[in-house]
Amino acid sequence: MTALHDRTVEPQVTTGPIRGSRKVYIEGPDDLRVPVRRVELSNGEHHDVYDTSGPYTDDSATIDLRAGLPALRASWVAEREPVNGAVTQLAYARAGIVTREMRYIAIREGVDVELVRSEVARGRAVIPANRNHPEAEPMIIGKKFLVKINANIGNSAVSSSIEEEVDKMVWATRWGADNVMDLSTGRDIHNTREWIVRNSPVPIGTVPIYQALEKVDGDPAKLSWEIYRDTVIEQCDQGVDYMTVHAGVLLRYVPLSAKRLTGIVSRGGSIMAAWCLANHQESFLYTHFEELCDILRTYDVTFSLGDGLRPGSINDANDDAQLAELRTLGELTQIARAHDVQVMIEGPGHIPMHKIAENVQLEEQWCDEAPFYTLGPLATDIAPGYDHITSAIGAATIAKAGTAMLCYVTPKEHLGLPNRDDVKTGVITYKIAAHAADLAKEHPRVQSRDDALSQARFEFRWLDQFHLSLDPDTALAFHDETLPAEPAKTAHFCSMCGPKFCSMKITQDVRDYAEAHGLTSVEAIEAGMDEKSTEFIDHGGRVYLTITDQHTPGHAPPESEDRPH
Amino acid sequence: MTALHDRTVEPQVTTGPIRGSRKVYIEGPDDLRVPVRRVELSNGEHHDVYDTSGPYTDDSATIDLRAGLPALRASWVAEREPVNGAVTQLAYARAGIVTREMRYIAIREGVDVELVRSEVARGRAVIPANRNHPEAEPMIIGKKFLVKINANIGNSAVSSSIEEEVDKMVWATRWGADNVMDLSTGRDIHNTREWIVRNSPVPIGTVPIYQALEKVDGDPAKLSWEIYRDTVIEQCDQGVDYMTVHAGVLLRYVPLSAKRLTGIVSRGGSIMAAWCLANHQESFLYTHFEELCDILRTYDVTFSLGDGLRPGSINDANDDAQLAELRTLGELTQIARAHDVQVMIEGPGHIPMHKIAENVQLEEQWCDEAPFYTLGPLATDIAPGYDHITSAIGAATIAKAGTAMLCYVTPKEHLGLPNRDDVKTGVITYKIAAHAADLAKEHPRVQSRDDALSQARFEFRWLDQFHLSLDPDTALAFHDETLPAEPAKTAHFCSMCGPKFCSMKITQDVRDYAEAHGLTSVEAIEAGMDEKSTEFIDHGGRVYLTITDQHTPGHAPPESEDRPH
């Protein structure tokens, strides 16, 4: 950790609880302490929320960025014996061994630990947890669990710094990023990553080819297996939890991209295509894939098999290049699993809504249900500046269909490097997409938050509503823009409708009236109508008869049960 | 129009072309001139975009808000004879008569005019065009046509003014609102609407019960059919094109809402429920529905049958109250059509993704395919402050399933009255949802814009990319945040990746290389490999053999066509 201590400028990160909540730990077996964010409500109840923010939101924690976070998992890893020569969660799961990571995750997800173990053993879920990243809190990626989101950060040659990127990492996890990828391509890649890994409460992913390319001054033709391998080892040693490897971009697939409107839009994919063509050889990632497996297995680093040929436009969606690569990723999935290495599969990109489900179906079929990890997809190309939204539509759709993790897209996509605000917008947007999909999958636990918030809304507990939301600060600020006074926080209306037109206020009046007059059932209403309103009923009946007499030929008559009586 | 001239403060609205485009008119028969927004590209091509912005974006137009817009349709309406006693587009279409509005729409949508006429005659599309609103440019709402979006504006008792609302109307149509609803509930409702209608290039909708309630000092119990009727006539006279009528909230449905988590969340629905219960009578909107039909037919005002019992939370989605009302709306649809009055049906609300399609199916079945017009729906309740996004997910999903028009939701939903920025964000977000659905429905014309933008992106024509986007100002501003210098507008990279990591730049290098070396097909690649890389092939083969030897029992072997050869 010398790198951290050498640095003269220390990053500043956001600490302290999120508005309206505090960190609580659920105690489990083996002294496990699983964090949740507890939202205390004004009616005396509370609601616990899945929490990715680490010690930064714990008022009782001391944060020392130079020292890094406490090594939560150090003893777990140290005490474990290899099984069949491997130390991966996959190897343990296959051997029927339940790790502490699995127990932790079972508490975190509220599921049986056997579901965790069996899904990992089946390869349908992964636990990205490098033995050298003991600071991270265990989490799982798989379609049977909560949909996860990944936030990309990282500087480029023309923008940002280590300080900004560490701040972005903490900021992203504060708002709910389950994983963070450091995609730095500028100077100081190693040191930037060291700061991020040592201080990250969530798994960290990278794309090692970026750093390898920096080592050859940015000329893809000069890359080699040896340079790449050494880079991977360096990153494994450092504690990276999962790595994007574009090993499916084969030489013979490169011409397939020539027909495309937008060619190859994956950085890694384009680098490997350039290397293959310049050297007229098959990709060294493919030909040396087994050696890569041996390296990743030693640390329990998870493969994220990259979709280097993902479509970069609606026009190129689900085309030959994309699908050829996906088949190869299926082949590589089997190789990795044969080596007891965990695998997930990356997915597109730009896909119109009606072609999204096919992506999941083919991925599951060809890649034997390895967890799918998709970038969006963007459901249209026409909204640069709003691609968090174009992609949230695609992301919710693909997650509903079975995608396990969503890589966020920020408003700056296609236009520039995201800043802090963009990171937050991307994270919140993707928490929405993930939650919408969890609801659609009828996950047993997720609707309770919608219910709690809606009940608070209906009962005009404004602060509870804000605190239960994904972004309490913004909800409060928007409310206060028009009604800043404190009494408005308990008022039975807002500026949208004003007091006379608040439907929820009127509804409560209606309920009060109905209860006072015993009109709380259809029977009571109808009895009352019989007594008081025979005149209306006659009239109502007349309305209906007039309709049937007049209805246009070819149109179905109204449903009989709807007739006024 | 005296109201406009009396006013001392004149609204200020945004005029002038949208960045990178100019107004052009497509000439048609009968001297029709249909506006498009022409984006001139730097490569000499151009791309025409459907244009809702009216004369405000026409540099050659003179804007005089006190005089209102030119009465485009005045002579069309004046010259037409009634058919079967009716002057509605539905009556004409049923009689086989093609109106100028239909011809205009056929050009605007790029479809055969017979499709327009037959869909209107069938009741599957509506043309909201009050004879007293000749300023509006004809447009159509129906599932066979482009998905439309509606923007809600209007002041409340605690916020905004006439000036702000006229500005919002022009601003909303500038960015693509196909329709605008004036939902004002505060003071000066009549005058606010007069300013809006006279200056609106798009159809205007209202909810007459709001103004009726103001006339009885906000006490729902004091409403009466007579007050309501007079309000409707006043608004029809003024030129309102469609009206939300919550005639499906029947007395006997009110108790069904008692079981709900969030009761009745429609303002109109709650007002009518309160009236029904307080007076213990069936809704006067229902019992007088035929008289309403007679009034609306005279002006050709379109019914928008309101979903007063739409769910206000995920918990209440697709419940008995909602579906009971929908059946009644189906009954009323037949009554309206029997009177030659056009009808569309309003829909929810808050619906989780997996329950969205059912809404469209039931609406089409029970309401005989009357155009569905939905508010979102929001796919989760947990993100106040971001409900434009939660609802865009639902909106794209429901539009893909067949919804004809989407009512936007702004970031302020549930929190306050939207300001100008919120209106724009809502409109752009809903243009995204509508376009994503149009793509998913494989509408023949819509993908050309995605293609043109993606091609500009791939060719580093940055300004073309911005100009083809839904919001050129924001795209440009985001790009310039990190690379403001002029040369960056033609640079072959952006700040996201920097020059060395730009996949599109590398792809172009790859293409250049491939062309120079004749490596543009799979065959050429493979021939080259045979000559130069037998060593690799042996190696690749070896990799594969190793895999099959080792593959885990129970896992499928890799697909044979993917084997390295």
Side-chain angles (χ1 to χ4, degrees), chain A residues 94 156 158 185 210 214 218 251-253 255 257-258 260-267 270 274 277-278 280 282 286-287 290 313 315 327 331 334-335 354 379-386 389-390 393 396 411-412 414-417 419 428-429 432 435 439-440 442 447 450-451 453-454 457-458 462 466 469-471 478 481 495-497 500-501 503 506-507 510-511 513 519 521 525-526 528-529 532-533 536 539 543 546-547 552 555-556 559 561-562 564, chain B residues 94 156 158 185 210 214 218 251-253 255 257-258 260-267 270 274 277-278 280 282 286-287 290 313 315 327 331 334-335 354 368 379-382 384-386 389 393 396 411-412 414-417 419 428-429 432 435 439-440 442 447 450-451 453-454 457-458 462 466 469-471 478-479 481 495-497 500-501 503 506-507 510-511 513 519 521 525-526 528-529 532-533 536 539 543 546-547 555-556 558-559 561-562 564:
Chain A
R94 282 174 165 172
S156 77
V158 297
T185 56
Y210 297 171
E214 290 290 344
L251 177 58
R252 67 178 184 277
Y253 300 159
S257 73
R260 286 181 152 181
L261 184 65
T262 50
I264 300 175
V265 297
S266 149
R267 294 182 203 168
S270 66
L277 219 52
H280 214 87
E282 191 49 282
Y286 183 75
T287 57
E290 288 197 295
S313 56
N315 192 70
R327 277 188 181 269
E331 178 191 339
Q334 300 295 353
I335 300 176
H354 63 303
T380 165
D381 304 341
I382 68 167
Y386 299 80
I389 299 175
T390 66
I393 293 169
K412 288 281 167 58
H414 298 115
L415 299 171
L417 206 64
N419 62 23
I428 300 286
T429 302
I432 291 169
H435 189 82
L439 283 173
E442 302 190 80
Q447 195 187 312
D450 297 77
D451 293 348
L453 188 148
S454 289
R457 178 177 285 157
F458 189 64
W462 287 97
F466 305 153
S469 75
L470 289 175
D471 179 2
F478 280 7
E481 232 174 74
S495 71
M496 192 158 46
C497 307
K500 280 194 300 194
F501 281 87
S503 61
I506 298 172
T507 299
V510 165
R511 283 192 181 176
Y513 182 94
L519 300 171
S521 71
I525 292 276
E526 292 185 343
M529 283 173 68
K532 295 170 65 179
S533 306
F536 149 70
H539 186 76
V543 169
T546 316
I547 311 157
T552 312
H555 289 176
E559 298 289 336
E561 56 263 54
D562 288 315
Chain B
R94 282 174 164 171
S156 76
V158 297
T185 56
Y210 297 171
E214 291 289 345
L251 177 58
R252 69 179 183 276
Y253 300 158
S257 73
R260 288 181 151 182
L261 184 65
T262 50
I264 300 175
V265 298
S266 149
R267 293 182 205 169
S270 66
L277 219 52
H280 214 87
E282 190 52 279
Y286 183 75
T287 56
E290 287 197 296
S313 57
N315 192 72
R327 278 189 182 267
E331 176 192 340
Q334 301 294 355
I335 300 176
H354 63 302
D368 195 25
T380 165
D381 304 343
I382 68 168
Y386 298 81
I389 299 175
I393 292 169
K412 289 283 167 58
H414 298 114
L415 299 170
L417 207 64
N419 63 24
I428 300 286
T429 300
I432 290 170
H435 189 82
L439 284 173
E442 302 190 79
Q447 196 185 310
D450 296 77
D451 293 348
L453 188 147
S454 289
R457 178 177 285 157
F458 189 64
W462 289 97
F466 305 153
S469 74
L470 288 176
D471 179 2
F478 279 7
H479 176 269
E481 231 175 74
S495 71
M496 193 158 43
C497 307
K500 282 195 298 195
F501 281 87
S503 61
I506 299 172
T507 299
V510 165
R511 283 191 181 177
Y513 181 94
L519 300 171
S521 71
I525 292 276
E526 291 186 345
M529 281 172 72
K532 293 169 68 179
S533 305
F536 148 69
H539 185 77
V543 168
T546 316
I547 313 156
H555 290 176
E559 298 287 337
E561 56 263 55
D562 288 317

Side-chain angles (χ1 to χ4, degrees), chain A residues 199-523:
Chain A
N199 288 293
S200 174
V202 304
I204 297 295
T206 59
V207 188
I209 200 83
Y210 297 171
Q211 189 182 5
L213 192 69
E214 290 290 344
K215 292 179 180 176
V216 294
D217 299 323
D219 181 355
K222 292 187 187 150
L223 283 165
S224 69
W225 160 244
E226 289 73 22
I227 289 168
Y228 183 81
R229 178 198 59 204
D230 293 348
T231 307
V232 166
I233 292 171
E234 172 189 336
Q235 298 196 5
C236 284
D237 265 337
Q238 219 173 2
V240 169
D241 299 286
Y242 58 102
M243 294 182 183
T244 297
V245 179
H246 298 97
V249 180
L250 301 190
L251 177 58
R252 67 178 184 277
Y253 300 159
V254 178
L256 298 178
S257 73
K259 289 184 266 182
R260 286 181 152 181
L261 184 65
T262 50
I264 300 175
V265 297
S266 149
R267 294 182 203 168
S270 66
I271 293 165
M272 289 313 300
W275 185 89
C276 289
L277 219 52
N279 291 279
H280 214 87
Q281 287 182 24
E282 191 49 282
S283 160
F284 58 77
L285 297 176
Y286 183 75
T287 57
H288 291 270
F289 191 71
E290 288 197 295
E291 292 164 73
L292 267 182
C293 291
D294 289 337
I295 298 168
L296 268 60
R297 180 181 50 206
T298 308
Y299 300 86
D300 196 7
V301 170
T302 299
F303 272 117
S304 186
L305 294 178
D307 54 336
L309 299 177
R310 67 171 177 265
S313 56
I314 291 297
N315 192 70
D316 296 344
N318 297 17
D319 75 347
D320 290 345
Q322 181 194 341
L323 298 184
E325 182 188 33
L326 185 60
R327 277 188 181 269
T328 298
L329 298 188
E331 178 191 339
L332 298 171
T333 299
Q334 300 295 353
I335 300 176
R337 287 185 184 167
H339 287 78
D340 277 331
V341 180
Q342 303 186 90
V343 186
M344 53 186 173
I345 305 291
E346 296 187 9
H350 293 238
I351 308 277
M353 292 177 81
H354 63 303
K355 294 184 178 177
I356 286 177
E358 186 188 6
N359 278 271
V360 182
Q361 288 151 10
L362 294 178
E363 189 275 341
E364 291 188 348
Q365 183 182 337
W366 294 346
C367 303
D368 194 25
E369 300 193 73
F372 205 21
Y373 165 33
T374 61
L375 176 68
L378 284 69
T380 165
D381 304 341
I382 68 167
Y386 299 80
D387 278 332
H388 58 308
I389 299 175
T390 66
S391 68
I393 293 169
T397 306
I398 205 163
K400 173 174 179 283
T403 285
M405 183 159 74
L406 303 169
C407 182
Y408 83 175
V409 171
T410 79
K412 288 281 167 58
E413 185 74 18
H414 298 115
L415 299 171
L417 206 64
N419 62 23
R420 200 172 191 273
D421 290 343
D422 299 320
V423 166
K424 180 176 175 183
T425 301
V427 168
I428 300 286
T429 302
Y430 271 67
K431 293 300 281 184
I432 291 169
H435 189 82
D438 283 333
L439 283 173
K441 290 164 73 179
E442 302 190 80
H443 189 291
R445 299 211 311 177
V446 298
Q447 195 187 312
S448 62
R449 187 168 178 183
D450 297 77
D451 293 348
L453 188 148
S454 289
Q455 191 168 3
R457 178 177 285 157
F458 189 64
E459 293 172 358
F460 297 101
R461 291 184 274 115
W462 287 97
L463 288 174
D464 289 350
Q465 181 191 160
F466 305 153
H467 296 163
L468 285 161
S469 75
L470 289 175
D471 179 2
D473 297 339
T474 296
L476 177 66
F478 280 7
H479 176 269
D480 286 3
E481 232 174 74
T482 41
L483 290 177
E486 270 314 300
K489 305 290 193 309
T490 51
H492 281 206
F493 62 92
C494 72
S495 71
M496 192 158 46
C497 307
K500 280 194 300 194
F501 281 87
C502 178
S503 61
M504 298 201 298
K505 181 178 181 304
I506 298 172
T507 299
Q508 293 201 336
D509 294 346
V510 165
R511 283 192 181 176
D512 294 345
Y513 182 94
E515 277 177 26
H517 293 75
L519 300 171
T520 53
S521 71
V522 177
E523 293 70 27

Side-chain angles (χ1 to χ4, degrees), chain B residues 298-486:
Chain B
T298 309
Y299 300 86
D300 196 7
V301 170
T302 299
F303 272 116
S304 187
L305 294 178
D307 53 337
L309 299 178
R310 67 171 177 267
S313 57
I314 291 295
N315 192 72
D316 296 344
N318 297 16
D319 75 346
D320 289 346
Q322 181 195 340
L323 298 185
E325 181 188 33
L326 184 60
R327 278 189 182 267
T328 298
L329 299 188
E331 176 192 340
L332 297 171
T333 298
Q334 301 294 355
I335 300 176
R337 286 185 184 165
H339 288 78
D340 277 330
V341 180
Q342 303 186 91
V343 185
M344 53 187 172
I345 305 291
E346 295 186 11
H350 292 239
I351 309 276
M353 292 177 80
H354 63 302
K355 294 185 178 175
I356 286 177
E358 185 188 5
N359 277 272
V360 181
Q361 288 151 9
L362 293 178
E363 189 276 339
E364 292 188 350
Q365 182 184 338
W366 293 347
C367 303
D368 195 25
E369 300 192 73
F372 204 21
Y373 165 33
T374 61
L375 176 66
L378 283 69
T380 165
D381 304 343
I382 68 168
Y386 298 81
D387 278 333
H388 58 309
I389 299 175
T390 66
S391 68
I393 292 169
T397 305
I398 206 163
K400 173 175 180 282
T403 285
M405 184 158 74
L406 302 169
C407 181
Y408 84 174
V409 171
T410 80
K412 289 283 167 58
E413 184 73 18
H414 298 114
L415 299 170
L417 207 64
N419 63 24
R420 200 172 190 270
D421 289 343
D422 299 319
V423 165
K424 179 176 174 184
T425 300
V427 168
I428 300 286
T429 300
Y430 271 66
K431 293 299 281 184
I432 290 170
H435 189 82
D438 283 333
L439 284 173
K441 290 165 74 179
E442 302 190 79
H443 188 290
R445 299 211 312 177
V446 298
Q447 196 185 310
S448 62
R449 187 168 179 183
D450 296 77
D451 293 348
L453 188 147
S454 289
Q455 190 168 4
R457 178 177 285 157
F458 189 64
E459 294 172 358
F460 297 102
R461 290 185 273 115
W462 289 97
L463 288 174
D464 289 350
Q465 182 191 159
F466 305 153
H467 296 163
L468 284 161
S469 74
L470 288 176
D471 179 2
D473 296 340
T474 295
L476 177 66
F478 279 7
H479 176 269
D480 286 3
E481 231 175 74
T482 42
L483 291 177
E486 269 314 302

Side-chain angles (χ1 to χ4, degrees), chain A residues 36 46 88 97 109 114 133 174 178 192 267 282 301 309 328 443 479 534:
Chain A
V36 295
H46 69 259
T88 65
I97 296 169
E109 298 264 343
E114 175 55 19
H133 188 200
R174 180 179 181 85
D178 295 286
T192 303
R267 294 182 203 168
E282 191 49 282
V301 170
L309 299 177
T328 298
H443 189 291
H479 176 269
T534 47

Side-chain angles (χ1 to χ4, degrees), chain B residues 145-172:
Chain B
F145 305 95
L146 292 168
V147 174
K148 303 304 189 297
I149 70 165
N150 174 81
N152 288 341
I153 61 168
N155 52 9
S156 76
V158 297
S159 194
S160 197
S161 64
I162 289 181
E163 288 73 26
E164 285 177 71
E165 297 310 314
V166 172
D167 174 46
K168 281 187 201 169
M169 177 275 290
V170 174
W171 188 236

